[in-house]
Amino acid sequence: GFGEIPLCWLMGYEFTECGAGEYTIRNSFMRVDPDRQYVPMPYKGKATDVFGFFTTDRMEYSDREGIREQNKRRYLNRYNLWKQWYDDDGELLPHNERELRPIVYHVNRDYPDDLKGVAHEVADQWNEVFNDAVDALGYEREADERTFILCPNNPVEEGDPEVCGGVGNSPRLGDIRYSFMAYIPKFMDYGLLGLGPSNNDPETGEIISGMGYVYHWNDIAAYQTVEMIELLNGTRDPSTFIDGVDLSEWANQVTDAGRSAPRTHDLAENEHFVQNFANRFDGDLIQVTDADVEMQMEEGFDAFMERHLEQIHRNSHLSGERTSTSGKLRTLKDTYIEDLLINDQVLMATGHQPGTPVSDDNLQAASILRGGFGKHAMEMARLREEFAEQRNMYLPEMADDALLGIARELAGEDHEDVYNTVREAIYTAVMAHEVGHAIGLMHNFSGSEDVVNYFDEYWEIRDRHDGDVLPRLQQPITQEEIDEKIYHHAYSSVMDYAGRYTVDGHGIGKYDRAAILYGYAGKVEVFKDTGSLDPIILRDWYERRGEVLNFFIDGPQAVHYTTLYNEMGELLYSDDNRMLVDVDDLNVDFQGNRDWSTATVDGVQYSRVPYIYCSHANLNLGDSCLTRDVGADSYERMKNMLDDLNTWYITRSFPRGRIGVSPNSYINANYGRIYNRLKRWHDLYGLYAELLPQFYTAEQVEEFFTNPVTGWGGKTWAVKNAFNHLVQTIMMPNVGSYQRESQIDGTELFTTGGGGLAGTQLDITQGRYYSTSWHDGNRECGYMWWECLRHVGFYLDKIMAIEALSDTQTNFVARSTPEDIREWEVGYANTFGDQVLKLNEALMGQQYASVGPYLESGQLQFPDYTGPLDEPQADLVDPFATFTIQLYWQVLGQARFPAGYDQSFSENSRIWIRGLSNAPEIDDEFLVSFRDPWTGYVYETTNRGGLTSAGQSMIERANYLLARTDMCDDEGRTETTADDCVDGEPSTAAKNELRNYLELIKAIAYITPRFEHGNPYSP
């Protein structure tokens, strides 16, 4: 069962009941028939990289060698499709002489009648696939003979298939003799949508029985989607959906995308940040030779690149000698800086309840100096996903975005019709997915990017509306394509976690069929004709999971998915151009291993259809192999992701009474799937932004990174807007009424402190609630205040964005060389170094002119943070980058950014105290200083020879604030306001502004020498 205490903790629901309980355990045993025949299919290494099957592993013992890895037996998990495999002489029978053993699934006793249609649909889909498998083997089926049979009634009724047993036969869940499509009505807090385990012979991997479970949480998910649809339709009061928030404008913007404020930025002709890194390298270029090109054509790009790693490693700013980021952070542990960083909101994000003692575990999870809640959230998410992966569990959090996508499409329909449509779509997708697990298939998280094997309708729609098919960066999706629901056809496998439920609308995809043909029939698909497409591209498409890249003499070249279609046309997807061949017909590569890219039949060489498979081992490491994503390339996936993030804020941050939702679960759910994903998106891009300038001229590098067809233009757009989203998060204003006010430092800013008068209103379509709030107009919570969580504050998102933006750790897989690429540190500061420094200066000096959000025609706008950031804006809005946000930015920035082997951020931020032993010796002409009027300490920084730094910006602001406090005239007023002075003396407000800012300066002066020297001191 799944009632053990650890499950309650793993799922991250801190209010789940995890106490003692009474359990009834029933065991089921099945006698092994000594005459049962089955030939197991051995796992053959790379075969599982082609199609993902679960395996049964069995260690073998030798009385001389003991137990060794090389003696391990590993078999694919499969049902046994044949009653006999051998004749009386022990010879394998031809398949046309065998008797079929159909796969039989029963519904359970609780299975509702109104979901019987779902069971029939799923059974018919898998039956069609298994029929293809036995037909391919030469078995001669009767016209109506099924390979996959559903028993739709429990108990069995008259007229049910004979293999279901006699009338009245009523299989019980847990009986190992039977396979089930089962509905589980019992409530559970951890919210399963589906589960797909199987019982396997431990010696052969034969599946004895399998279970596709679906749970009542699918009904809840369907209803939540209906609520969204009613809200968008206008049939639900927009002022009552969330207590105290009017969602009218939000609903209008969701249903009319033209009304929403854009949060993404186009790719410029002369992209500023690309030009910067294209011109960065000034050493001798590595020359690409004819031999290098030939090597790539014969052995692939990876073999070529590994040969150059050592030289690249020596030249790179990303040198592999990892710095101790965690060691730097630990130098601040148990200091007053740690106290400043930890507050109630941060502690609550780790599960701590305010008012109770703070435990060591709370500190460990909350403090970035001990790991931080970003790392804590990633670990919790990893544990949850591994726990779910090992048990084939499908959790609601894996489909949140999917629920939202369908809401847009069904707006305007009748309530009951919408509910039934959504419910049936959800149950069909989940049941098909779980039965897929039960018959042996692992997850395939590349199903949404396996564009070669999308459904035919996808390409037919694109050809019909687009003519020449181009990347979406050049050819945005049209309203006609949206109306024809093109993304319904944009996947190859039901074993993915879809980014939208309607993406599973077709059920089983081409990958799923191909996997069954391989695992159960030993067949693979090849193209009869590849048109004008070079077959090497198809080989590389498979080898590099759709990311084809080659280094040629005249420049690097990628292959966009549209190239495959434009070179092959209908040949790419037409069934008539695909044929099945035996696995044994596949050729061998240059090392003598099976090639998996070409097959030779009757002397003719064919290219294998390149299916893309990616398992949980590579999950979410880059911009592909992602869960809950939609789109065929990096541009499409990022655009759809950002659209959802900007639109569906209300579903992430407002629990509306849902059990188990808290700041803790919010962090656990969102850091990995949003912020860490945006960080990982940049990893490979940042690596190549460093490597390519070592091979090619600046002009060639710039062309590659901006060309969407033969280069990485789409990736550049995605990384550009990922960076923008992270910075926008840090600079996001609060929801509220704003008025223009003059600040004590002389700047003008729209702020929420305008005395309560009506002003410019920022609602949730533009701003975000900064602080977490507990109140519910419908309930009185009193002592149980935590039950009335209204919304989770965006303050936590700001910290998560800083964590992701500053993180330089990478995890490049499939590399094992003396200069291990996994040791390289890659962060956004490597690609956007100038921008990070300008943000640093503006954020720390609170000078937002060219980086802050601003109002334009009443709409909140953000600058393009990947540009030069040299254009000041009017009507600036307070970005709510408060003291702790500035402190998190500095602590993580100074600890992590230098790990990318550029010390600029630390140099830019540096402040020291005059007279201390670690103060540097700087000529007076380059010094900028401030004397603390309360302590007498003199804080210094350098003006960097005329270039403004963050340190200088802070010192100059402090001097300005000090001057403001001394500017009381005879009437007790300053030049800027009427209330800064009281009786000729500076007011408490003016003093506090300076005192608070001095706390920040003091903290920077405390941090810097510890990170540089590990030499603690206290000013």
mmCIF file of all heavy atoms in Angstrom, residues 176-205:
data_model
loop_
_atom_site.group_PDB
_atom_site.id
_atom_site.type_symbol
_atom_site.label_atom_id
_atom_site.label_comp_id
_atom_site.label_asym_id
_atom_site.label_seq_id
_atom_site.Cartn_x
_atom_site.Cartn_y
_atom_site.Cartn_z
ATOM 1 N N ILE A 176 -3.460 -11.758 -8.610
ATOM 2 C CA ILE A 176 -2.364 -11.702 -9.574
ATOM 3 C C ILE A 176 -2.703 -12.387 -10.887
ATOM 4 O O ILE A 176 -2.017 -12.228 -11.891
ATOM 5 C CB ILE A 176 -1.092 -12.324 -8.938
ATOM 6 C CG1 ILE A 176 0.163 -11.880 -9.695
ATOM 7 C CG2 ILE A 176 -1.202 -13.829 -8.883
ATOM 8 C CD1 ILE A 176 1.441 -12.322 -9.021
ATOM 9 N N ARG A 177 -3.794 -13.117 -10.939
ATOM 10 C CA ARG A 177 -4.169 -13.806 -12.182
ATOM 11 C C ARG A 177 -4.781 -12.856 -13.204
ATOM 12 O O ARG A 177 -4.919 -13.219 -14.370
ATOM 13 C CB ARG A 177 -5.172 -14.925 -11.875
ATOM 14 C CG ARG A 177 -4.641 -16.032 -10.989
ATOM 15 C CD ARG A 177 -5.749 -16.985 -10.592
ATOM 16 N NE ARG A 177 -6.763 -16.326 -9.787
ATOM 17 C CZ ARG A 177 -7.900 -16.914 -9.385
ATOM 18 N NH1 ARG A 177 -8.158 -18.172 -9.747
ATOM 19 N NH2 ARG A 177 -8.770 -16.254 -8.641
ATOM 20 N N TYR A 178 -5.155 -11.664 -12.780
ATOM 21 C CA TYR A 178 -5.913 -10.769 -13.645
ATOM 22 C C TYR A 178 -5.203 -9.421 -13.813
ATOM 23 O O TYR A 178 -4.540 -8.929 -12.903
ATOM 24 C CB TYR A 178 -7.304 -10.513 -13.063
ATOM 25 C CG TYR A 178 -8.150 -11.757 -12.934
ATOM 26 C CD1 TYR A 178 -8.219 -12.449 -11.717
ATOM 27 C CD2 TYR A 178 -8.875 -12.244 -14.017
ATOM 28 C CE1 TYR A 178 -8.996 -13.592 -11.582
ATOM 29 C CE2 TYR A 178 -9.657 -13.387 -13.896
ATOM 30 C CZ TYR A 178 -9.709 -14.062 -12.684
ATOM 31 O OH TYR A 178 -10.472 -15.195 -12.573
ATOM 32 N N SER A 179 -5.405 -8.833 -15.000
ATOM 33 C CA SER A 179 -4.983 -7.455 -15.255
ATOM 34 C C SER A 179 -6.213 -6.561 -15.188
ATOM 35 O O SER A 179 -7.326 -6.995 -15.529
ATOM 36 C CB SER A 179 -4.316 -7.328 -16.627
ATOM 37 O OG SER A 179 -3.133 -8.097 -16.694
ATOM 38 N N PHE A 180 -6.017 -5.305 -14.783
ATOM 39 C CA PHE A 180 -7.165 -4.430 -14.532
ATOM 40 C C PHE A 180 -7.002 -3.041 -15.148
ATOM 41 O O PHE A 180 -5.905 -2.482 -15.180
ATOM 42 C CB PHE A 180 -7.359 -4.233 -13.019
ATOM 43 C CG PHE A 180 -7.841 -5.445 -12.290
ATOM 44 C CD1 PHE A 180 -6.933 -6.308 -11.694
ATOM 45 C CD2 PHE A 180 -9.200 -5.726 -12.192
ATOM 46 C CE1 PHE A 180 -7.367 -7.428 -11.004
ATOM 47 C CE2 PHE A 180 -9.645 -6.846 -11.509
ATOM 48 C CZ PHE A 180 -8.727 -7.705 -10.914
ATOM 49 N N MET A 181 -8.126 -2.498 -15.613
ATOM 50 C CA MET A 181 -8.331 -1.060 -15.725
ATOM 51 C C MET A 181 -9.253 -0.728 -14.568
ATOM 52 O O MET A 181 -10.435 -1.096 -14.586
ATOM 53 C CB MET A 181 -8.976 -0.672 -17.051
ATOM 54 C CG MET A 181 -8.103 -0.850 -18.262
ATOM 55 S SD MET A 181 -8.897 -0.135 -19.714
ATOM 56 C CE MET A 181 -7.980 -0.939 -21.026
ATOM 57 N N ALA A 182 -8.728 -0.054 -13.561
ATOM 58 C CA ALA A 182 -9.451 0.086 -12.306
ATOM 59 C C ALA A 182 -9.680 1.542 -11.948
ATOM 60 O O ALA A 182 -8.814 2.397 -12.157
ATOM 61 C CB ALA A 182 -8.673 -0.610 -11.188
ATOM 62 N N TYR A 183 -10.859 1.793 -11.406
ATOM 63 C CA TYR A 183 -11.200 3.111 -10.865
ATOM 64 C C TYR A 183 -11.176 3.012 -9.345
ATOM 65 O O TYR A 183 -11.806 2.125 -8.759
ATOM 66 C CB TYR A 183 -12.589 3.541 -11.340
ATOM 67 C CG TYR A 183 -13.097 4.807 -10.695
ATOM 68 C CD1 TYR A 183 -12.685 6.055 -11.164
ATOM 69 C CD2 TYR A 183 -13.983 4.760 -9.620
ATOM 70 C CE1 TYR A 183 -13.149 7.224 -10.574
ATOM 71 C CE2 TYR A 183 -14.453 5.928 -9.025
ATOM 72 C CZ TYR A 183 -14.034 7.153 -9.511
ATOM 73 O OH TYR A 183 -14.491 8.304 -8.932
ATOM 74 N N ILE A 184 -10.432 3.923 -8.700
ATOM 75 C CA ILE A 184 -10.291 3.910 -7.247
ATOM 76 C C ILE A 184 -11.016 5.138 -6.694
ATOM 77 O O ILE A 184 -10.543 6.266 -6.865
ATOM 78 C CB ILE A 184 -8.809 3.922 -6.820
ATOM 79 C CG1 ILE A 184 -8.032 2.827 -7.554
ATOM 80 C CG2 ILE A 184 -8.700 3.770 -5.313
ATOM 81 C CD1 ILE A 184 -8.507 1.425 -7.280
ATOM 82 N N PRO A 185 -12.162 4.934 -6.044
ATOM 83 C CA PRO A 185 -12.949 6.080 -5.582
ATOM 84 C C PRO A 185 -12.511 6.645 -4.246
ATOM 85 O O PRO A 185 -12.971 7.713 -3.851
ATOM 86 C CB PRO A 185 -14.363 5.490 -5.481
ATOM 87 C CG PRO A 185 -14.139 4.048 -5.132
ATOM 88 C CD PRO A 185 -12.856 3.644 -5.820
ATOM 89 N N LYS A 186 -11.651 5.950 -3.511
ATOM 90 C CA LYS A 186 -11.329 6.360 -2.155
ATOM 91 C C LYS A 186 -10.489 7.638 -2.153
ATOM 92 O O LYS A 186 -9.594 7.807 -2.970
ATOM 93 C CB LYS A 186 -10.597 5.240 -1.426
ATOM 94 C CG LYS A 186 -11.466 3.996 -1.239
ATOM 95 C CD LYS A 186 -10.708 2.893 -0.512
ATOM 96 C CE LYS A 186 -11.587 1.666 -0.336
ATOM 97 N NZ LYS A 186 -10.878 0.565 0.351
ATOM 98 N N PHE A 187 -10.776 8.499 -1.170
ATOM 99 C CA PHE A 187 -10.066 9.776 -1.075
ATOM 100 C C PHE A 187 -8.652 9.563 -0.552
ATOM 101 O O PHE A 187 -8.422 8.751 0.343
ATOM 102 C CB PHE A 187 -10.824 10.716 -0.139
ATOM 103 C CG PHE A 187 -10.097 12.017 0.104
ATOM 104 C CD1 PHE A 187 -10.136 13.030 -0.844
ATOM 105 C CD2 PHE A 187 -9.361 12.223 1.253
ATOM 106 C CE1 PHE A 187 -9.463 14.224 -0.633
ATOM 107 C CE2 PHE A 187 -8.689 13.403 1.478
ATOM 108 C CZ PHE A 187 -8.743 14.407 0.527
ATOM 109 N N MET A 188 -7.702 10.305 -1.131
ATOM 110 C CA MET A 188 -6.353 10.331 -0.587
ATOM 111 C C MET A 188 -5.795 11.740 -0.781
ATOM 112 O O MET A 188 -6.025 12.372 -1.804
ATOM 113 C CB MET A 188 -5.471 9.256 -1.244
ATOM 114 C CG MET A 188 -4.783 9.660 -2.522
ATOM 115 S SD MET A 188 -5.882 10.010 -3.892
ATOM 116 C CE MET A 188 -6.468 8.369 -4.227
ATOM 117 N N ASP A 189 -5.083 12.241 0.235
ATOM 118 C CA ASP A 189 -4.588 13.609 0.192
ATOM 119 C C ASP A 189 -3.541 13.826 -0.887
ATOM 120 O O ASP A 189 -3.396 14.919 -1.410
ATOM 121 C CB ASP A 189 -3.981 14.000 1.548
ATOM 122 C CG ASP A 189 -5.053 14.349 2.574
ATOM 123 O OD1 ASP A 189 -6.215 14.464 2.165
ATOM 124 O OD2 ASP A 189 -4.701 14.497 3.754
ATOM 125 N N TYR A 190 -2.748 12.765 -1.199
ATOM 126 C CA TYR A 190 -1.615 13.002 -2.071
ATOM 127 C C TYR A 190 -2.012 13.078 -3.539
ATOM 128 O O TYR A 190 -1.177 13.305 -4.394
ATOM 129 C CB TYR A 190 -0.523 11.947 -1.853
ATOM 130 C CG TYR A 190 -0.986 10.508 -1.811
ATOM 131 C CD1 TYR A 190 -1.009 9.728 -2.962
ATOM 132 C CD2 TYR A 190 -1.365 9.933 -0.612
ATOM 133 C CE1 TYR A 190 -1.405 8.407 -2.907
ATOM 134 C CE2 TYR A 190 -1.772 8.610 -0.549
ATOM 135 C CZ TYR A 190 -1.794 7.857 -1.692
ATOM 136 O OH TYR A 190 -2.194 6.553 -1.648
ATOM 137 N N GLY A 191 -3.269 12.865 -3.842
ATOM 138 C CA GLY A 191 -3.805 13.300 -5.121
ATOM 139 C C GLY A 191 -3.331 12.570 -6.348
ATOM 140 O O GLY A 191 -2.943 13.203 -7.335
ATOM 141 N N LEU A 192 -3.391 11.256 -6.354
ATOM 142 C CA LEU A 192 -3.011 10.521 -7.559
ATOM 143 C C LEU A 192 -4.039 10.713 -8.664
ATOM 144 O O LEU A 192 -5.248 10.681 -8.424
ATOM 145 C CB LEU A 192 -2.909 9.021 -7.255
ATOM 146 C CG LEU A 192 -1.598 8.491 -6.705
ATOM 147 C CD1 LEU A 192 -1.715 7.002 -6.409
ATOM 148 C CD2 LEU A 192 -0.481 8.721 -7.695
ATOM 149 N N LEU A 193 -3.569 10.889 -9.887
ATOM 150 C CA LEU A 193 -4.417 10.778 -11.068
ATOM 151 C C LEU A 193 -4.397 9.351 -11.588
ATOM 152 O O LEU A 193 -5.419 8.819 -12.022
ATOM 153 C CB LEU A 193 -3.940 11.731 -12.170
ATOM 154 C CG LEU A 193 -4.033 13.227 -11.888
ATOM 155 C CD1 LEU A 193 -3.484 14.012 -13.074
ATOM 156 C CD2 LEU A 193 -5.457 13.643 -11.582
ATOM 157 N N GLY A 194 -3.215 8.738 -11.597
ATOM 158 C CA GLY A 194 -3.116 7.391 -12.136
ATOM 159 C C GLY A 194 -1.910 6.653 -11.604
ATOM 160 O O GLY A 194 -0.998 7.242 -11.022
ATOM 161 N N LEU A 195 -1.923 5.354 -11.797
ATOM 162 C CA LEU A 195 -0.853 4.472 -11.342
ATOM 163 C C LEU A 195 -0.811 3.282 -12.289
ATOM 164 O O LEU A 195 -1.856 2.759 -12.675
ATOM 165 C CB LEU A 195 -1.133 4.014 -9.909
ATOM 166 C CG LEU A 195 -0.085 3.177 -9.191
ATOM 167 C CD1 LEU A 195 1.155 4.003 -8.919
ATOM 168 C CD2 LEU A 195 -0.656 2.644 -7.877
ATOM 169 N N GLY A 196 0.405 2.843 -12.679
ATOM 170 C CA GLY A 196 0.507 1.777 -13.669
ATOM 171 C C GLY A 196 1.511 0.704 -13.347
ATOM 172 O O GLY A 196 2.464 0.512 -14.119
ATOM 173 N N PRO A 197 1.355 -0.021 -12.248
ATOM 174 C CA PRO A 197 2.323 -1.085 -11.914
ATOM 175 C C PRO A 197 2.018 -2.385 -12.660
ATOM 176 O O PRO A 197 0.988 -2.522 -13.315
ATOM 177 C CB PRO A 197 2.092 -1.269 -10.412
ATOM 178 C CG PRO A 197 0.632 -0.974 -10.228
ATOM 179 C CD PRO A 197 0.316 0.112 -11.218
ATOM 180 N N SER A 198 2.939 -3.323 -12.555
ATOM 181 C CA SER A 198 2.724 -4.655 -13.126
ATOM 182 C C SER A 198 3.418 -5.688 -12.252
ATOM 183 O O SER A 198 4.337 -5.363 -11.499
ATOM 184 C CB SER A 198 3.252 -4.732 -14.557
ATOM 185 O OG SER A 198 4.639 -4.471 -14.605
ATOM 186 N N ASN A 199 2.969 -6.931 -12.353
ATOM 187 C CA ASN A 199 3.589 -8.058 -11.671
ATOM 188 C C ASN A 199 4.381 -8.847 -12.702
ATOM 189 O O ASN A 199 3.827 -9.292 -13.710
ATOM 190 C CB ASN A 199 2.520 -8.945 -11.025
ATOM 191 C CG ASN A 199 1.720 -8.210 -9.974
ATOM 192 O OD1 ASN A 199 2.275 -7.657 -9.040
ATOM 193 N ND2 ASN A 199 0.402 -8.189 -10.124
ATOM 194 N N ASN A 200 5.669 -9.035 -12.457
ATOM 195 C CA ASN A 200 6.549 -9.610 -13.463
ATOM 196 C C ASN A 200 7.250 -10.854 -12.924
ATOM 197 O O ASN A 200 7.584 -10.927 -11.737
ATOM 198 C CB ASN A 200 7.609 -8.587 -13.887
ATOM 199 C CG ASN A 200 7.017 -7.226 -14.193
ATOM 200 O OD1 ASN A 200 6.113 -7.105 -15.004
ATOM 201 N ND2 ASN A 200 7.509 -6.196 -13.508
ATOM 202 N N ASP A 201 7.488 -11.784 -13.824
ATOM 203 C CA ASP A 201 8.280 -12.958 -13.469
ATOM 204 C C ASP A 201 9.699 -12.491 -13.138
ATOM 205 O O ASP A 201 10.371 -11.886 -13.986
ATOM 206 C CB ASP A 201 8.287 -13.934 -14.645
ATOM 207 C CG ASP A 201 8.976 -15.252 -14.309
ATOM 208 O OD1 ASP A 201 9.985 -15.231 -13.592
ATOM 209 O OD2 ASP A 201 8.509 -16.306 -14.786
ATOM 210 N N PRO A 202 10.191 -12.747 -11.932
ATOM 211 C CA PRO A 202 11.507 -12.226 -11.545
ATOM 212 C C PRO A 202 12.667 -12.870 -12.292
ATOM 213 O O PRO A 202 13.796 -12.373 -12.197
ATOM 214 C CB PRO A 202 11.576 -12.542 -10.045
ATOM 215 C CG PRO A 202 10.662 -13.704 -9.857
ATOM 216 C CD PRO A 202 9.555 -13.509 -10.835
ATOM 217 N N GLU A 203 12.435 -13.957 -13.026
ATOM 218 C CA GLU A 203 13.511 -14.610 -13.765
ATOM 219 C C GLU A 203 13.539 -14.232 -15.235
ATOM 220 O O GLU A 203 14.599 -14.250 -15.852
ATOM 221 C CB GLU A 203 13.384 -16.130 -13.642
ATOM 222 C CG GLU A 203 13.665 -16.662 -12.248
ATOM 223 C CD GLU A 203 13.730 -18.177 -12.214
ATOM 224 O OE1 GLU A 203 13.000 -18.812 -13.011
ATOM 225 O OE2 GLU A 203 14.504 -18.723 -11.415
ATOM 226 N N THR A 204 12.377 -13.872 -15.810
ATOM 227 C CA THR A 204 12.311 -13.642 -17.259
ATOM 228 C C THR A 204 11.809 -12.266 -17.649
ATOM 229 O O THR A 204 11.964 -11.859 -18.795
ATOM 230 C CB THR A 204 11.390 -14.677 -17.910
ATOM 231 O OG1 THR A 204 10.037 -14.469 -17.453
ATOM 232 C CG2 THR A 204 11.834 -16.102 -17.581
ATOM 233 N N GLY A 205 11.179 -11.535 -16.727
ATOM 234 C CA GLY A 205 10.592 -10.245 -17.069
ATOM 235 C C GLY A 205 9.205 -10.344 -17.652
ATOM 236 O O GLY A 205 8.575 -9.316 -17.945
#
